[in-house]
Amino acid sequence: MDAALAIHVFQRALTMGDREAVVRLVAELVPHETRENIIDLALVPALERVGHLWEEGRISLVELYGAGRAAEVATELLEPLPRTRQAGDARVAIAVLEDQHVLGKRLVAAHLRAGGVALLDLGVGLSAPVLVAQALEARVDVLLVSTLMLRGALKVHDVVRRLRDAGSAMRVVVGGAPFRLDPELYLEVGADACGRSAGDALALVHRLGGRCA
Amino acid sequence: MTTLTSCERVGTALSQREGDRVPFFLPATMHGAAQLGLTLPEYFARPERVAEGQLAMLALLGHDFVTSFHHAAGEVVAFGGTVEVHEDGPPTPGAPPLREQDLAGLAPPVPEEVAPLRASLETLRLLRARVGGRVDVLGAVIGPFSLPAMQLGLGPWLDLLVEQPALAERLVAVNAEFAARWGAAQLRAGATAIVVAEPLASTQMTPAGLYRRLGLPGLRALAARVAPLVLSLASAPAIRAAPDLLSAGPAGIVAGSGESLAALKATCRGQATVLGGLDGISMRHWTPAECDRRVRLAVGAAARGGGFVLTEHHGEIPVQVPLAVLQEVAEAVRHHGRYPVAPELTDPA
């Protein structure tokens, strides 16, 4: 595979949310490449580039979302292929705290699943006690928390406190508008890291939880 | 210069002239509760309490507007949604009430038949009776292109925009009619201007061409029936969408968080007033010196020649921002916002 070309073509298809083009690309690559090569050398770098374009204000949320949806399609196509790499043991979960807006969670989930992370979805509109109970029960290692409003973002402090009170070393990664507007907020609420866009999620999960694909 | 009333000061700014000082508004829509010794659920339960809270903020801050805005969730109730109340933040909408299959037969509701909107109208009438003619009373409407994010959920709305544009167009048309009815009802109750929250009009959210095709017609239809109208993109950048937005004839456009006020003012020159300059999220930690610095920067960037109102970008200052910070900001505006603008503010070097 010419990785640079594959990344370019994937990025173009993803940015345009062109799911048919993504299906064609995956179909062309599958006979010649392993699942991991397609993910690591083409799909994930293309998604990261799309994330950078969003960060730089060069594409809109509609386009970023379309890219996430197209990546979901690619991931589903690749899912039946055999894995050549041993799965890691980090358990990664995602949830929306105190809000019904699911877009951020969905985007992050699309990036992580495209990157080969087996993700546990804990749901939306969860209170801090409910989220912590679910995460502890599932023995999560890395918990990704999405928020929309400042009120929800500040509740992360309660999540972290409850986890530590329970003796858990679970790593907490936050994201959402309040954390983009106030870059210091994630430290204030005691999170381990903050993702400014969905494109950050994979690297953060790898850093905090070890290689999980 | 003689001290102007708030209405005179705002009118002067809107006509692109310099009054006695820069008009300003700190949209503290929740701080009034503590002033009245109430919890937020208690506060929002009665329209007269919200009116009293706004009047308390007016007395404490000396800013140039009051607002009848309760919370954004009220408009979703008109379409079958629910409101969740909280002790530590504004009421929020429950799960999105509409599904794609509901849209073909959807009709615009009558605002006066919706309990939370009736409460806002009552707050408006009370405020108008107390400060009308002296202080402007702002009403608020969720924009017809952004309301679907709460009606359907943002993901399903973006799917609909891309995959079923005709159905999306229909939903925007229904929402535009509802927004026009809701805005007109507020004007009849005494609002002097309507703030339209339309964050999805920002190019950060929607490609310009897509918004022009599916969103702008709804905004124009609304603007044809509701005026004066101020457009807020709820902290999202406005400048790249401004030429389209200006074509609807708004009286003002609110800048996005971190956006250049000077650049937006240059784009809007002669067509609309620019509002903005303050960020409510980071405001929680502002020291008196930071309050002073932020006000100086905003005044220096945009105040000269009028056509500027200093305000917070999002339209709802978090209740976690200390009242003392709001008072420091207000004091800084009274000091640095006087016309003519001090030369050292416009020429920091």
Side-chain angles (χ1 to χ4, degrees):
Chain A
M1 172 171 57
D2 180 336
L5 180 62
I7 292 167
H8 174 76
V9 178
F10 253 121
Q11 178 193 323
R12 184 173 167 76
L14 290 176
T15 309
M16 297 175 73
D18 188 342
R19 289 176 229 171
E20 289 179 9
V22 167
V23 170
R24 279 198 308 276
L25 279 166
V26 172
E28 286 170 16
L29 291 170
V30 160
H32 312 289
E33 298 292 342
T34 64
R35 178 182 189 274
E36 279 70 23
N37 270 355
I38 297 171
I39 287 173
D40 291 352
L41 301 180
L43 186 56
V44 167
L47 271 172
E48 286 173 349
R49 288 194 186 178
V50 171
H52 290 146
L53 290 174
W54 155 253
E55 278 288 300
E56 293 163 3
R58 292 165 63 188
I59 63 168
S60 68
L61 182 69
V62 169
E63 290 158 308
L64 182 70
Y65 176 69
R69 295 295 309 276
E72 285 175 351
V73 170
T75 308
E76 284 167 14
L77 290 171
L78 292 169
E79 192 56 38
L81 296 184
R83 292 167 188 259
T84 56
R85 194 162 51 225
Q86 187 64 37
D89 57 2
R91 294 168 189 265
V92 184
I94 191 166
V96 182
L97 183 62
E98 294 282 347
D99 203 276
Q100 298 291 331
H101 279 73
V102 298
L103 190 79
K105 175 170 78 73
R106 189 166 181 179
L107 279 168
V108 170
H111 277 68
L112 290 177
R113 287 182 174 133
V117 175
L119 188 65
L120 177 64
D121 188 343
L122 297 178
V124 303
L126 303 180
S127 67
V130 171
L131 173 57
V132 168
Q134 289 191 15
L136 288 173
E137 186 179 352
R139 294 189 295 147
V140 168
D141 298 303
V142 181
L143 177 63
L144 307 170
V145 182
S146 171
T147 66
L148 179 72
M149 308 286 285
L150 179 63
R151 182 181 156 274
L154 293 172
K155 294 282 187 196
V156 174
H157 189 270
D158 192 22
V159 170
V160 174
R161 184 181 58 76
R162 286 171 184 273
L163 287 172
R164 301 302 171 245
D165 286 351
S168 170
M170 192 183 305
R171 314 304 293 272
V172 176
V173 181
V174 293
F179 296 105
R180 287 172 58 86
L181 291 167
D182 183 352
E184 302 298 313
L185 182 56
Y186 84 98
L187 294 171
E188 180 187 336
V189 299
D192 295 288
C194 173
R196 286 186 56 79
S197 82
D200 293 346
L202 196 58
L204 285 171
V205 164
H206 286 166
R207 178 160 67 82
L208 295 172
R211 180 79 201 187
C212 328
Chain B
M1 174 182 271
T2 318
T3 301
L4 304 177
T5 67
S6 287
C7 281
E8 290 168 339
R9 186 173 297 124
V10 171
T12 306
L14 291 177
S15 60
Q16 313 292 309
R17 290 181 292 122
E18 296 184 353
D20 57 344
R21 68 159 166 77
V22 172
F24 76 105
F25 179 46
L26 300 174
T29 56
M30 292 171 274
H31 288 72
Q35 295 303 304
L36 303 180
L38 300 169
T39 65
L40 285 173
E42 290 169 343
Y43 180 68
F44 285 117
R46 302 280 292 271
E48 61 272 22
R49 292 173 181 167
V50 178
E52 285 303 319
Q54 281 295 299
L55 294 169
M57 287 299 106
L58 182 65
L60 278 169
L61 303 175
H63 53 187
D64 295 297
F65 298 86
V66 290
T67 178
S68 61
F69 176 73
H70 283 208
H71 49 77
E75 283 162 79
V76 192
V77 173
F79 291 88
T82 56
V83 177
E84 296 175 358
V85 295
H86 309 285
E87 298 278 344
D88 52 359
T92 53
L98 298 182
R99 291 169 302 171
E100 187 185 311
Q101 55 266 39
D102 301 322
L103 302 184
L106 190 68
V110 176
E112 290 87 345
E113 294 176 357
V114 182
L117 304 187
R118 275 202 309 274
S120 285
L121 286 175
E122 181 57 19
T123 298
L124 223 166
R125 289 188 197 96
L126 292 167
L127 288 171
R128 178 70 179 194
R130 295 283 290 276
V131 301
R134 186 164 54 85
V135 177
D136 282 293
V137 184
L138 296 173
V141 166
I142 308 293
F145 191 68
S146 300
L147 187 58
M150 290 189 283
Q151 292 170 309
L152 292 166
L154 186 51
W157 173 229
L158 300 189
D159 286 336
L160 198 75
L161 279 173
V162 173
E163 294 165 8
Q164 298 194 67
L167 206 50
E169 193 172 16
R170 169 166 167 65
L171 179 56
V172 172
V174 169
N175 287 347
E177 174 61 30
F178 170 68
R181 291 178 184 180
W182 174 219
Q186 292 177 80
L187 290 171
R188 283 194 302 275
T192 47
I194 303 296
V195 178
V196 177
E198 190 72 302
L200 288 182
S202 172
T203 54
Q204 185 185 59
M205 301 293 176
T206 308
L210 184 62
Y211 177 70
R212 205 171 290 140
R213 197 164 62 251
L214 295 178
L216 191 55
L219 180 64
R220 286 180 172 151
L222 168 61
R225 291 165 58 189
V226 174
L229 181 152
V230 173
L231 277 172
S232 165
L233 306 192
S235 298
I239 192 161
R240 285 166 61 194
D244 284 332
L245 301 178
L246 288 167
S247 72
I253 296 180
V254 184
S257 180
E259 188 166 50
S260 165
L261 293 171
L264 184 60
K265 190 173 178 187
T267 301
C268 294
R269 190 176 304 283
Q271 298 179 79
T273 287
V274 167
L275 301 89
L278 303 173
D279 165 50
I281 299 288
S282 61
M283 199 182 276
R284 290 179 305 126
H285 302 300
W286 288 2
T287 61
E290 184 66 4
C291 293
D292 192 78
R293 187 181 78 85
R294 299 279 186 144
V295 169
R296 285 166 61 98
L297 282 172
V299 168
R304 183 168 284 177
F308 176 60
V309 174
L310 187 78
T311 190
E312 189 265 350
H313 300 120
H314 192 266
E316 186 180 61
I317 293 176
V319 72
Q320 290 81 6
V321 174
L323 186 59
V325 169
L326 302 183
Q327 290 175 303
E328 289 285 352
V329 170
E331 188 54 40
V333 184
R334 279 189 284 276
H335 182 65
H336 297 300
R338 287 194 304 265
Y339 283 118
V341 177
E344 65 268 23
L345 295 188
T346 52
D347 183 14

